[in-house]
Amino acid sequence: MTENKGALRGIRVIELGQLIAGPFCGQLLGDMGAEVIKVEPPGAGDPMRQWGRGEDKLWWEVVARNKLTVSANLRVPEGQALVRQLAETADILIENFKPGTMEKWGLGPDALHAINPRLIIVRVSGYGQTGPYSERAGFGGIGEAMGGWRYIVGDPDRPPSRMGISIGDSLAATYGCMGALAALHARERTGRGQVVDSALYEAVLQVMESLVPEYEVSGYIRERSGSVLPGIAPSNVYPCADGEFLIGGNQDAVFARLCKAMGQPELASNPRYVDHLARGMHQEELDGLIADWTRTRTIAEVEAAMLDHSVPAGTIFRAPEMLADPHFAAREALVPVETERWGTLHMQNCFPKLSETPGSIRSPASPTVGRDNQKVYGDLGLAPEEIERMTAAGII
């Protein structure tokens, strides 16, 4: 097992959430060194165990790493009592149930802070814990739509599209993690925990740049623009003889170098492309000129020319390219993890990289629900026979 040198070593996290946002928040904290105790429903456990693409469902192997797994039925008093005992020993508790659910179970902030005033409670939900929409069910896609992301993604002649990943959930989880870290720092001054309220739509809204002020001041509404950012040119994916290649040459000096690489240095002084505004006005035309050049060359030839002239550019990576790439290897961006079910799997490492207290993958995901019941509940003082009784009764 890898030694835990993480910045959050000594911090205990109780993860009650299911599906994406809660578990990803727990993964981030666990990667940074926290001890994460994942609480699942008895039986099937977290639905994340069955999520992923392809024939074999492998998302669980990533999102459940660095976690102890216990089971507890939160809908019955004995299961709720176990969570209260766990919360009494914890620094952070994560939940992403519909607002009001934790209160219904006797596990709301007032109840938990009564037994552990230092507890930081991360609550991830679709619309937040307050407001007229708070009690609505909300998934990541709904947050992406309300936060403004979904409307601007896709081609202008088609309905709003989506990314191929659950970006709304991941953003809300990341902001939940960031809030927990800020709350830990505040606790050093106050001695008290607090609630971190991370809403899916607000996490998406936070990354929407100046979308709202642009409308307020000038009435401008951002629209779908396909593969380009309007007015930012050239910056696109261009066709090569053997695939596609991304080039970002929109800054004036960089564009001049791109023109030299293409053997057309005169383009840099052409009034239609001479500066940022001019290139933005003639974006489609300029993209066509660059595409005419790239499609007569291979990706390797275009990449070599971009490197020779210091033009930001890159291959469109898929999993096979990531596994074969020397920069991924040198940075250990992907690392081998010995899993209990699948053998060695490569997965993303812990980011960002800290020089003194680096994160690490110290243990693989548990293949079974409640694997650590004896250890975790035994540490709370429950006798083995009591744990067995609760297991048989469906409490854990």
Side-chain angles (χ1 to χ4, degrees), residues 27-56:
Q27 178 198 325
L28 295 175
L29 293 168
D31 285 354
M32 288 185 280
E35 176 195 49
V36 180
I37 299 175
K38 165 76 175 175
V39 181
E40 300 179 81
D46 192 325
M48 284 297 294
R49 290 180 176 273
Q50 307 302 322
W51 278 45
R53 304 288 290 275
E55 183 177 349
D56 299 312

Side-chain angles (χ1 to χ4, degrees), residues 15-264:
E15 180 194 303
L16 300 184
Q18 297 184 44
L19 292 174
I20 304 167
F24 185 54
C25 183
Q27 178 198 325
L28 295 175
L29 293 168
D31 285 354
M32 288 185 280
E35 176 195 49
V36 180
I37 299 175
K38 165 76 175 175
V39 181
E40 300 179 81
D46 192 325
M48 284 297 294
R49 290 180 176 273
Q50 307 302 322
W51 278 45
R53 304 288 290 275
E55 183 177 349
D56 299 312
K57 308 307 179 187
L58 296 165
W59 197 344
W60 177 256
E61 299 296 338
V62 179
V63 80
R65 67 196 192 188
N66 290 329
K67 297 178 184 179
L68 299 168
T69 57
V70 301
S71 54
N73 185 348
L74 303 187
R75 291 169 172 80
V76 300
E78 283 187 281
Q80 296 158 6
L82 285 174
V83 170
R84 281 190 284 272
Q85 285 184 268
L86 287 171
E88 193 172 358
T89 71
D91 299 283
I92 300 170
L93 182 142
I94 304 166
E95 64 95 358
N96 65 321
F97 300 109
K98 183 179 176 182
T101 302
M102 291 286 284
E103 285 80 358
K104 180 178 67 177
W105 291 337
L107 299 172
D110 289 346
L112 295 178
H113 281 147
I115 60 176
N116 182 357
R118 292 175 56 82
L119 183 66
I120 293 159
I121 304 171
V122 178
R123 313 193 77 176
V124 184
S125 61
Y127 302 95
Q129 300 297 313
T130 60
Y133 301 166
S134 60
E135 294 186 4
R136 295 182 182 182
F139 288 126
I142 308 302
E144 292 165 28
M146 187 175 179
W149 182 299
R150 188 64 68 93
Y151 182 78
I152 66 170
V153 175
D155 292 313
D157 59 343
R158 297 185 181 184
S161 187
R162 69 166 298 160
M163 292 187 66
I165 58 172
S166 303
I167 191 68
D169 290 287
S170 299
L171 281 172
T174 302
Y175 278 105
C177 175
M178 183 168 65
L181 300 179
L184 281 173
H185 181 67
R187 194 178 71 176
E188 292 297 310
R189 299 194 308 273
T190 67
R192 299 189 306 276
Q194 60 183 294
V195 174
V196 177
D197 182 355
S198 180
L200 286 163
Y201 88 95
E202 289 168 353
V204 173
L205 178 64
Q206 186 69 281
V207 300
M208 295 310 296
E209 301 173 352
S210 54
L211 179 143
V212 173
E214 287 165 358
Y215 170 73
E216 241 183 353
V217 172
S218 63
Y220 179 79
I221 295 179
R222 294 196 188 189
E223 301 287 346
R224 292 182 290 286
S225 57
S227 64
V228 303
L229 283 175
I232 308 299
S235 181
N236 207 340
V237 176
Y238 299 94
C240 297
D242 57 348
E244 292 80 34
F245 193 74
L246 178 66
I247 298 174
N250 50 291
Q251 197 268 344
D252 289 352
V254 176
F255 178 66
R257 296 199 296 271
L258 171 61
C259 294
K260 290 181 181 178
M262 295 168 56
Q264 302 177 58

